[in-house]
Amino acid sequence: MANMISIIEERKDEIIGHITSNELKIATKRTLDFAKDFSDRKRVNEVILHQHSYNEIHEEIRKFGKTLEDSKALKKLIEKLLDLLDVIVDEFEEKQTKEKNIEDNTRQTIEEAKKAFLLKRINKKNIVFKCQGVTKKYKNKSIGFEFLPIDLELKIGEITAIVGENGSGKTTLLNMIAGELLPTSGEIEYPAFSDDLNDYYRIKQQISYIKQELPKWSGLLVDNLHFSASIKGITGQQNIDEVEFIIYRLGLEKYRDEKWKVLSGGYKMRFTLAKSLVWNPKLLILDEPLANLDIKKQQEFLEDLRDLKSSEKNPMAVILTSQHLYEVEGIADNIIFLSNGEALYNGTLKEFGEDRTENSFEIRCDLSKQKLFDRFDNINSIDISGRDYIVNTPLDVNKERFLNLLLKQNINIDYFRDISCSTRKLFKDER
């Protein structure tokens, strides 16, 4: 109980931080998550009303050129949000205390204690997918591609990103994880779903797979969301609640009663995400979800994934492929770098580069590779990657020191990034 109180207070402080920083769009989203995780339908609906009010106030400010500081309605809304946060925390703590008292009174025998222990242990099964030595070799020789052995675990509450060149096997791996492509060899398990791999219906009921080519929808968008929830067994008032939550959580209320053809590519992806999340899957698989999003929407999409996968009530594991390396590295817990069907790196993003023997910097300048190399005594090597150079230096040449060296040499730099701990440096150009 103490741990849950600590979690709820931490989440509350996070939302207050967004409010004080005038990040009210994010604050209303996270308050919606907060109510869903720690309260009931009544509080969720209150947040939805507050979010609707915020949208109206924001539109009024935009139309009449007001500032956030000038809006009295916005100040009142902030007060309501802060009050609601306190109410949710108080109600949660009261509920936890009552449940603990009931639990203490009912658990009187050793046998009951054993059952409770076993139940807790079962509920801690958070590995949704596990494979060992999985390979894929296509019988068709014209394809000429082989996916080499890989070991992988996908855990609830974590995001795993698969990156690499085109044709490296990213979609092949996703298809094997989703159960849509049988591996040539190796073992696959879904520990959190079923102990029986043949029980694929039960396993499939927990997996949502959004492919790169989005299927068209027929009818109103909101009706499709209700239908998607209903075929997963979510009916009645719960169906209505789940649809309303995901519509407002993903900022789709403006288009709820529209049809598929009126949507931009970005909104088609967000509605497809809503359709996948409305029934609370435990494993979400995404193939190139950022392809049709602009830079701003990419960031918003990834932040939503990061927040929703960590839900207290409905957490999930997420695995996605993307060509937008730096964006996905910003939210991923784990990273897999594939090249010609082989995982050159497969581990946590935090650990990548910890054992490196040199630093690496990606730069774009008006010098040739040789002239750049000649300007410095402390460069180990330079790799070419498209229009950019990847400059490798000794470990004692950190980002600040390297930038100072560039400035002293009066080199005109168009682009610079420290990639010492990024899988970007695994991309190589053969020139």
Side-chain angles (χ1 to χ4, degrees), residues 191-235:
F193 301 158
S194 176
D195 294 326
D196 182 6
L197 194 59
N198 293 318
D199 188 10
Y200 187 61
Y201 176 77
R202 182 178 173 187
I203 293 169
K204 188 67 175 176
Q205 287 293 97
Q206 303 292 327
I207 300 174
S208 181
Y209 186 9
I210 299 178
K211 298 184 179 182
Q212 189 171 0
E213 189 69 31
L214 301 180
K216 294 180 180 179
W217 297 12
S218 299
L220 298 183
L221 297 168
V222 67
D223 291 341
N224 276 268
L225 297 180
H226 284 299
F227 179 72
S228 294
S230 66
I231 62 175
K232 294 291 184 177
I234 301 173
T235 59

Side-chain angles (χ1 to χ4, degrees), residues 24-25 28-29 32 47-59 220-222 225 243-259 262-263 267 270-271 274 297 300 304:
L24 296 178
K25 183 177 181 180
T28 54
K29 281 185 174 184
L32 197 52
V47 183
I48 287 175
L49 290 175
H50 292 333
Q51 192 175 48
H52 183 69
S53 297
Y54 168 73
N55 291 338
E56 290 182 337
I57 293 167
H58 188 269
E59 183 63 18
L220 298 183
L221 297 168
V222 67
L225 297 180
V243 170
E244 289 302 298
F245 170 81
I246 205 63
I247 282 177
Y248 277 87
R249 181 58 182 79
L250 295 181
L252 303 173
E253 58 272 19
K254 183 179 177 181
Y255 297 99
R256 60 183 298 150
D257 295 318
E258 298 288 354
K259 294 186 177 181
V262 308
L263 298 180
Y267 272 100
R270 293 189 73 79
F271 263 101
K297 291 300 181 183
E300 186 177 351
D304 285 340

Side-chain angles (χ1 to χ4, degrees), residues 60-119:
E60 182 183 348
I61 290 171
R62 188 188 66 80
K63 280 184 179 180
F64 297 103
K66 296 180 180 179
T67 64
L68 294 176
E69 291 76 12
D70 293 336
S71 175
K72 293 181 180 179
L74 194 61
K75 290 176 182 177
K76 288 183 179 180
L77 176 61
I78 289 172
E79 290 176 3
K80 290 179 180 179
L81 280 175
L82 292 172
D83 288 342
L84 183 57
L85 289 174
D86 288 334
V87 169
I88 292 172
V89 172
D90 291 343
E91 290 178 345
F92 180 81
E93 291 179 352
E94 183 180 349
K95 181 181 177 183
Q96 289 285 94
T97 300
K98 287 180 179 178
E99 288 179 352
K100 187 176 185 302
N101 291 336
I102 293 171
E103 187 178 331
D104 290 341
N105 292 332
T106 55
R107 287 191 183 173
Q108 297 176 350
T109 68
I110 296 176
E111 196 61 35
E112 286 173 336
K114 284 182 179 178
K115 288 180 180 179
F117 172 78
L118 290 173
L119 182 61

Side-chain angles (χ1 to χ4, degrees), residues 135-359:
T135 69
K136 182 62 182 179
K137 189 170 184 177
Y138 292 92
K139 293 181 180 180
N140 189 336
K141 293 182 180 180
S142 64
I143 295 177
F145 176 81
E146 181 178 1
F147 195 95
L148 300 177
I150 189 171
D151 296 343
L152 177 62
E153 283 188 358
L154 301 179
K155 296 180 181 179
I156 286 177
E158 293 184 355
I159 295 178
T160 300
I162 309 174
V163 298
E165 295 94 343
N166 289 332
S168 60
K170 299 189 292 293
T171 301
T172 294
L173 180 55
L174 291 189
N175 286 336
M176 289 192 289
I177 293 170
E180 297 193 0
L181 183 66
L182 291 176
T184 303
S185 62
E187 297 181 359
I188 284 180
E189 300 175 63
Y190 299 87
F193 301 158
S194 176
D195 294 326
D196 182 6
L197 194 59
N198 293 318
D199 188 10
Y200 187 61
Y201 176 77
R202 182 178 173 187
I203 293 169
K204 188 67 175 176
Q205 287 293 97
Q206 303 292 327
I207 300 174
S208 181
Y209 186 9
I210 299 178
K211 298 184 179 182
Q212 189 171 0
E213 189 69 31
L214 301 180
K216 294 180 180 179
W217 297 12
S218 299
L220 298 183
L221 297 168
V222 67
D223 291 341
N224 276 268
L225 297 180
H226 284 299
F227 179 72
S228 294
S230 66
I231 62 175
K232 294 291 184 177
I234 301 173
T235 59
Q237 187 61 50
Q238 186 187 359
N239 184 293
I240 295 171
D241 294 342
E242 294 293 348
V243 170
E244 289 302 298
F245 170 81
I246 205 63
I247 282 177
Y248 277 87
R249 181 58 182 79
L250 295 181
L252 303 173
E253 58 272 19
K254 183 179 177 181
Y255 297 99
R256 60 183 298 150
D257 295 318
E258 298 288 354
K259 294 186 177 181
W260 182 257
K261 63 182 180 181
V262 308
L263 298 180
S264 65
Y267 272 100
K268 284 177 180 176
M269 170 51 72
R270 293 189 73 79
F271 263 101
T272 303
L273 180 64
K275 192 175 180 181
S276 294
L277 295 182
V278 71
W279 49 272
N280 300 313
K282 291 299 182 185
L283 173 58
L284 176 64
I285 303 172
L286 301 152
D287 195 2
E288 295 292 344
L290 306 183
N292 295 312
L293 305 181
D294 59 38
I295 294 175
K296 183 180 178 181
K297 291 300 181 183
Q298 286 174 12
Q299 193 61 39
E300 186 177 351
F301 184 90
L302 292 173
E303 287 173 356
D304 285 340
L305 280 184
R306 180 197 60 200
D307 294 336
L308 291 169
K309 61 92 177 176
S310 301
S311 164
E312 290 295 326
K313 189 171 287 186
N314 300 299
M316 61 182 172
V318 178
I319 184 165
L320 74 157
T321 65
S322 181
Q323 298 292 334
H324 298 81
L325 176 63
Y326 299 126
E327 286 75 12
V328 297
E329 282 189 342
I331 55 97
D333 301 289
N334 312 299
I335 200 91
I336 301 170
F337 185 93
L338 294 179
S339 178
N340 296 319
E342 179 182 8
L344 300 186
Y345 183 79
N346 179 11
T348 67
L349 186 62
K350 185 179 179 181
E351 291 174 342
F352 183 82
E354 281 189 350
D355 58 349
R356 68 185 186 279
T357 57
E358 58 185 9
N359 287 327

